[in-house]
Amino acid sequence: MRRYSAFAIAREALRYHQGWERAWASPAPKKRYDAIVVGAGGHGLATAFYLGRNHGITNVAVIEKGWLGGGNTGRNTTIIRSNYLQDPSAAIYEKARSLYETMSQDLNMNVMFSPRGVIMLAQTEHEKRGYLRTAHANAAQGVDTEFIGPEKVKQLVPIINIDGPRYPVLGGLWQARAGTARHDAVAWGYARACSAMGMDIIQNCAVTGIETEGGKVKAVNTSKGRIETGKLALVVAGHSSELAEMAGFRLPIESVSLQALVSEPVKPCMDVVVMANTVHGYMSQSDKGEMVIGGGTDGFNNYTQRGSFHHIEETVRALVETFPMISRLKMLRQWGGIVDMTGDRSPILSKTPVGGIYVNCGWGTGGFKAIPGSGWAMAELVAKDAPGPLAAAFGLERFREGRFIDESVAAGVAH
Amino acid sequence: MLILDCPYCGIRADETELAPGGEAHLTRVGPEGSDAAFESYLFDRKNPKGVHFERWRHAAGCGKWFHAARNTVTLEVYGTYPAQVTEPPKALLAAISKKVPGWEGWQ
């Protein structure tokens, strides 16, 4: 792999940019791999990357039904934060956030991590108490957050209306080290680094069946042939239930559509991310100037990748109330992604009833921020056949034992 | 926008006046059931990419619970039927089988 650098740009500029090599190879699948990761999104590629980097397992294939990073990795609102209430969540999301800080250097790919800060608005007394509690919990967990008053909110976000008629801003949970990153570059960076380690990234390769023998995984059948493996990691977000069905078990997952939209580009007006969970909308401004808006999930199972119209209306209505200046912005694009929701709104990183098969799913509406931490924890689980400290609390057995990591209560809605 | 016919009041209701209730025809595990069976009843879901049987409530209408058979990919609605049943009507299953070749059945 040729390193990207300022020197490389200068060199290529002198020869009409003819010398750039492909970022990753696209080989035909081999007969057998030590480990196969299904799903070349951020989480799958990060899993493969840390399998090689942390555990020395490089005979790995990452197989992907569509194209690399074409699922939720390319469909989110790119927010990165770790201000969670529960200890296991705070640990894995904070690990991820800290890995984002050095990701550009680690992967030699500019992921444009921008620690611009995230405010979660408190707009009811109940929400204010909740965020005060989260701030105290974060202090104990070593996550750097603070509860700020409405004047500080207004100072950080001049375009906000803090005296709204329905839900005045009573303060906010502020995480200064949180921010955004370029989502495509995260997937591309991991893919390039995996390819450089000798891993095979195989796109347009759908899994059609999973072969097991004596309760252990033997091979996967794909649209590009049969591939043997001893370890199979399913990291496919919204399609986890489909693959679990092929392997003969069910997951506590329901897939729904979550949508987002962006406005026409405008001049810089907001340099932090604002989340308003009571009215249900969140917004940030991209480097291109578009206002990036996250909406709500559909209430019913679906795989449509578009979402219902009325959720757009609800989201935009809430945001116009919070940011009156956006009322005449035109919206440019809208899209949806299929998110995998668990009952407690926390992810699953777990062994499964089938030996050698591991699942990493259930990130629901908040997977992008977790990519490096999730890959780190998943790689450890796959390499050692046992969860490490980051993944231990996220096993499937928590549902049977009633040991939920109840972020659905802790976070309200968006997280 | 998703539109379902309420089998009780007959109104063609769009999703803003309906409340989704999740997968239908789950069999409750009794006092003798194992932990695994109870876990499965509470949490494990089929979550199919295709034909899905589910519960809905006509929340902003007659208030009644009913069932719907719907495709989770195309959002095609195959039919709705009352809640007082333990399995989908035979005629509806036959109609779905005809429309969806290779469908593995509702269970």
Side-chain angles (χ1 to χ4, degrees):
Chain A
M1 178 180 87
R2 272 224 187 102
R3 287 185 63 79
Y4 294 153
S5 64
F7 174 74
I9 293 172
R11 184 188 64 218
E12 292 306 324
L14 291 174
R15 53 177 184 185
Y16 303 99
H17 294 281
Q18 300 292 303
W20 297 114
E21 60 185 12
R22 283 189 176 273
W24 56 84
S26 293
K30 289 191 265 186
K31 283 236 170 335
R32 184 184 167 82
Y33 292 92
D34 292 342
I36 292 180
V37 179
V38 183
H43 289 263
L45 291 163
T47 300
F49 175 76
Y50 292 112
L51 270 175
R53 171 71 67 90
N54 293 352
H55 304 283
I57 301 172
T58 54
N59 183 21
V60 174
V62 184
I63 58 182
E64 165 61 46
K65 178 177 69 175
W67 67 96
L68 196 148
N72 296 346
T73 303
R75 292 169 183 272
N76 55 75
T77 49
T78 79
I79 298 166
I80 295 159
R81 61 183 180 85
S82 59
N83 51 354
Y84 281 74
L85 177 66
Q86 311 289 350
D87 289 346
S89 320
I92 197 163
Y93 287 105
E94 177 64 8
K95 175 74 182 171
R97 193 205 55 75
S98 67
L99 287 168
Y100 266 113
E101 288 186 335
T102 55
M103 186 183 282
S104 294
Q105 290 76 31
D106 293 343
L107 300 181
N108 183 230
M109 167 77 92
N110 186 3
V111 300
M112 297 164 80
F113 176 59
S114 161
R116 60 184 63 187
V118 171
I119 301 176
M120 294 170 79
L121 298 179
Q123 292 179 287
T124 62
E125 285 295 338
H126 172 78
E127 201 175 20
K128 185 178 169 182
R129 279 198 296 274
Y131 285 146
L132 279 165
R133 182 184 175 206
T134 304
H136 290 311
N138 288 162
Q141 291 151 347
V143 178
D144 190 7
T145 64
E146 61 172 314
F147 188 85
I148 56 175
E151 306 77 28
K152 181 79 190 289
V153 173
K154 183 73 181 169
Q155 191 188 335
L156 287 162
V157 194
I159 66 169
I160 204 168
N161 175 21
I162 58 169
D163 308 312
R166 278 201 307 165
Y167 294 110
V169 174
L170 306 175
L173 182 65
W174 169 239
Q175 187 176 21
R177 290 165 179 242
T180 61
R182 182 168 182 219
H183 48 191
D184 297 323
V186 172
W188 298 339
Y190 276 124
R192 179 162 165 268
C194 287
S195 189
M197 282 191 278
M199 297 179 181
D200 288 351
I201 293 159
I202 303 157
Q203 302 180 71
N204 297 313
C205 179
V207 172
T208 54
I210 295 171
E211 283 179 36
T212 58
E213 194 179 73
K216 293 184 84 172
V217 66
K218 190 155 178 260
V220 283
N221 291 305
T222 73
S223 53
K224 293 191 175 179
R226 180 174 180 275
I227 316 173
E228 287 187 13
T229 186
K231 289 173 184 286
L232 181 67
L234 306 178
V235 196
V236 293
H239 288 74
S240 297
S241 302
E242 289 267 289
L243 281 167
E245 189 82 24
M246 287 180 199
F249 57 92
R250 281 190 184 177
L251 290 170
I253 293 262
E254 291 190 86
S255 299
V256 296
S257 186
L258 172 70
Q259 54 188 323
L261 55 159
V262 296
S263 74
E264 58 189 332
V266 290
K267 294 216 166 150
C269 61
M270 191 171 82
D271 61 358
V272 297
V273 180
V274 179
M275 311 184 71
N277 288 343
T278 292
V279 293
H280 206 180
Y282 48 101
M283 190 166 84
S284 61
Q285 189 169 24
S286 75
D287 294 338
K288 285 185 286 185
E290 301 154 332
M291 305 309 288
V292 183
I293 293 169
T297 51
D298 287 352
F300 51 88
N301 294 43
N302 74 73
Y303 287 83
T304 58
Q305 292 193 328
R306 49 174 200 264
S308 300
F309 293 122
H310 67 96
H311 285 299
I312 303 175
E313 188 183 350
E314 284 160 14
T315 301
V316 171
R317 190 167 56 206
L319 289 173
V320 167
E321 194 175 316
T322 316
F323 307 98
M325 67 154 269
I326 68 162
S327 66
R328 277 180 282 175
L329 276 186
K330 293 183 177 68
M331 291 299 148
L332 275 192
R333 300 190 300 282
Q334 173 271 355
W335 65 93
I338 302 306
V339 297
D340 39 344
M341 308 295 280
T342 56
D344 61 358
R345 300 293 183 265
S346 284
I348 296 166
L349 290 117
S350 182
K351 297 170 78 166
T352 66
V354 183
I357 298 187
Y358 311 89
V359 289
N360 179 355
C361 59
W363 293 94
T365 60
F368 175 72
K369 68 174 87 74
I371 284 173
S374 152
W376 185 286
M378 186 65 179
E380 189 171 6
L381 170 64
V382 173
K384 297 181 178 165
D385 192 39
L390 283 179
F394 294 105
L396 273 170
E397 65 281 357
R398 75 172 187 268
F399 294 96
R400 185 174 309 174
E401 294 166 2
R403 208 170 29 74
F404 307 117
I405 305 161
D406 207 345
E407 293 292 347
S408 58
V409 173
V413 271
H415 87 97
Chain B
M1 184 160 281
L2 186 66
I3 294 171
L4 300 175
D5 293 325
C6 175
Y8 292 101
C9 63
I11 282 179
R12 268 175 88 68
D14 81 46
E15 61 183 277
T16 57
E17 64 182 285
L18 298 166
E23 188 175 322
H25 307 304
L26 299 172
T27 311
R28 190 178 165 83
V29 175
E32 303 302 316
S34 66
D35 282 1
F38 196 59
E39 176 200 11
S40 182
Y41 158 70
L42 281 177
F43 300 108
D44 291 350
R45 293 293 175 264
K46 193 173 181 196
N47 193 23
K49 189 174 183 176
V51 183
H52 191 229
F53 293 84
E54 56 197 10
R55 302 170 74 228
W56 286 85
R57 195 168 86 89
H58 193 183
C62 65
K64 294 280 201 291
W65 281 99
F66 63 94
H67 286 135
R70 186 177 61 86
N71 191 305
T72 58
V73 181
T74 61
L75 299 191
E76 180 179 2
V77 177
Y78 301 111
T80 56
Y81 51 99
Q84 282 72 25
V85 290
T86 51
E87 55 184 78
K90 294 231 159 41
L92 180 63
L93 292 175
I96 297 171
S97 295
K98 218 167 160 185
K99 275 188 174 170
V100 188
W103 179 50
E104 77 282 6
W106 68 278
Q107 280 165 317

